[in-house]
Amino acid sequence: MGRTSDAKERILDSAQSLIYARSYADVGVQEICEKAGVKKGSFYHFFPSKSDLTLAVLEQYWAQFQTHILNPAFNNDIPPLKRFARFQNLVFEFHKQSKVDTGKLCGCPYGNLASELSTQDDHIRLKVKHIFSEIILYFKNNLKQASEAGECDCVDIDTTSRALFAYIEGIVILAKTENDPNVLKELSPHFYNLIH
Amino acid sequence: MGRTSDAKERILDSAQSLIYARSYADVGVQEICEKAGVKKGSFYHFFPSKSDLTLAVLEQYWAQFQTHILNPAFNNDIPPLKRFARFQNLVFEFHKQSKVDTGKLCGCPYGNLASELSTQDDHIRLKVKHIFSEIILYFKNNLKQASEAGECDCVDIDTTSRALFAYIEGIVILAKTENDPNVLKELSPHFYNLIH
DNA sequence: CTTGACCTTGACTTATCGGTCAACTAACAT
DNA sequence: ATGTTAGTTGACCGATAAGTCAAGGTCAAG
């Protein structure tokens, strides 16, 4: 089997934090390698291109997002509608902490890459599109449960889930532009107005 | 006065369309100059840096956005609440036409730059922040008129205006990620749920 | 203890990046 | 007509970009 190595993981972690804090284009392969303590040749041993690395980064984001935010938020230990509030609160705490650590509110990891690269790299656009659809699926399932529990009477669950997601995505980009996590707290309550 | 030239305008127009279609980082000064039919030396005669050029591009976006979308949309020839629908429709038509022309839905010109550069260039972030506040001001004034006309009973006009803006911003980024202008049509109706 | 797969290295390529500059040219005001 | 000023040019800078490659090193399994 040859030898093993954690270089791939170190590259992924470095790329994830660097690209999130800045942007895809602003972070070079070189810098990622330096932070990971790896030479560029090793980088291209693990990833065929910077674009492919970014696809892997998106997958890592997604796994962590499920583990640390989505699954805890939408766990069925509380009534469905309250889970949305818990979700928004976890997102708020994430950005608040992120700003404490780095001094900046960096926005949505997926939305950032979609904004920057959608018109240039279809693989990345489609990957983000898929992740978005998965998040919306969480919303949809939860909304259905809320409806069945009589917590709301929602006719168009599909579209409403997408509207809820769009609203949060918009809040986060406004928060990033104002570099202020309190925007999340300010605008979160209106979330429920989108549910009839 | 020395000689005159429209080179500055040509540079601005080229930069505007190129950066909107792609991204700040992906478009080089060289390419902007080539499209404008100008040498790089001339570029730096008019703009001290690429970042400053982008600030000027943002101002041009803003002037055009007011002329072609905001002012027509929020003209008081129809009841206030209907003006929001007219606004959303103009935004839809813009992205629809933009996709016909270029094959891609390019998103929000301001949001794109804010997403890409907010953590790296504070001048650009603050410029976008200011433009956002101006757009929200349109919303706010219109919401006030709607409230006074008895079309809605909105208590927190400030926050609601910001929520409305965030929602639209989110819709546009979802539409960009799916590369589909119909997302705007699909999610626009829910806009009114955000108004009590 | 050798084989072979896995990993690492560093030098390299080609291209482009944002930005500078001194010399030059054209047009306007007087 | 001429001086002044605005605009133009092309060569140039150091830095860095993504990506390549041949060679060598290291580990685990047989």
Side-chain angles (χ1 to χ4, degrees), chain A residues 65-86:
Chain A
F65 186 55
Q66 282 183 293
T67 307
H68 296 115
I69 298 194
L70 279 172
N71 291 335
F74 292 108
N75 188 33
N76 61 3
D77 56 340
I78 57 172
L81 236 44
K82 281 193 190 292
R83 296 171 206 161
F84 282 121
R86 185 162 61 181

Side-chain angles (χ1 to χ4, degrees), chain A residues 100-113:
Chain A
V100 168
D101 296 340
T102 68
K104 316 235 166 185
L105 199 154
C106 301
C108 169
Y110 316 117
N112 290 347
L113 288 169

